Amino acid sequence: TSTGRAHRRTSEKAARRLAARQAPAPAVWGLEVMGTAAFRKGASAGRPSMEEIGAAAKVVRALKELNQLAELRSIYRAARISAPQDAIAALLGTSQPTVSRALKRIEQDSAVLDPSPREAINQRAVGQIDTESMMGSLVSYRYAPGSYDPTGGDGVVRGDWRQIEDALAAGLLTDAEYERIAREVPNAK
């Protein structure tokens, strides 16, 4: 019927307008990571390979770590202007105890707020920076060496180079990228 076709055209136009307003989802090797289109397609779109799922999981994990760092930095900035913890929690959609724990963590080790190799690697993984920008950050970074546990235990506090090794093991850095960093920053290990 003509009424049914008109309704369908109106719905399709509304869906296109909504899709145009939504930011594009990060994609890794053609697999949509967070968008709604892949969810709507469901099983009819076919099954992604384990490689595609693994690549998407790397992006999701990187986004999670970047968001946690952004939250930590936001908590710190708000606390510096003496914002109450419950107000900070409300702004971030979290709890006051979470804000309190974050501030204690920052108090114990303020270096958690500093840029790190892991942050640059994650930014590249989610498409915030390109490979050359990441590599520039990684070869110019001042890597802190590992040390013995300052509490007197038998453990070792990992140095910053471990973030490079972890990224290589997780597939976030290629062998060539790892070798270039090792060659250009020989004292980092």
Side-chain angles (χ1 to χ4, degrees), residues 24-47:
V28 177
W29 294 318
L31 180 67
E32 188 174 0
V33 176
M34 298 186 313
T36 56
F39 180 77
R40 280 193 296 253
K41 289 179 186 175
S44 65
R47 292 186 166 174

Side-chain angles (χ1 to χ4, degrees), residues 20-131:
R21 281 186 282 171
Q22 293 175 346
V28 177
W29 294 318
L31 180 67
E32 188 174 0
V33 176
M34 298 186 313
T36 56
F39 180 77
R40 280 193 296 253
K41 289 179 186 175
S44 65
R47 292 186 166 174
S49 69
M50 284 305 293
E51 181 179 299
E52 290 171 322
I53 292 169
K58 288 176 191 175
V59 172
V60 170
R61 190 172 43 244
L63 282 168
K64 181 179 176 182
E65 288 183 21
L66 289 170
N67 285 336
Q68 288 170 341
L69 181 57
E71 181 178 69
L72 202 58
R73 288 174 176 162
S74 295
I75 290 169
Y76 174 73
R77 286 186 193 113
R80 286 198 59 203
I81 62 167
S82 301
Q85 290 184 10
D86 58 342
I88 298 169
L91 288 171
L92 292 172
T94 190
S95 67
Q96 180 276 324
T98 298
V99 171
S100 178
R101 282 190 299 273
L103 290 171
K104 285 178 185 168
R105 179 177 173 203
I106 293 166
E107 185 179 303
Q108 291 172 352
D109 182 14
S110 63
V112 298
L113 300 172
D114 296 340
S116 67
R118 182 182 315 284
E119 181 178 8
I121 293 164
N122 285 337
Q123 287 174 332
R124 195 268 302 259
V126 303
Q128 290 179 354
I129 62 174
D130 63 13
T131 297

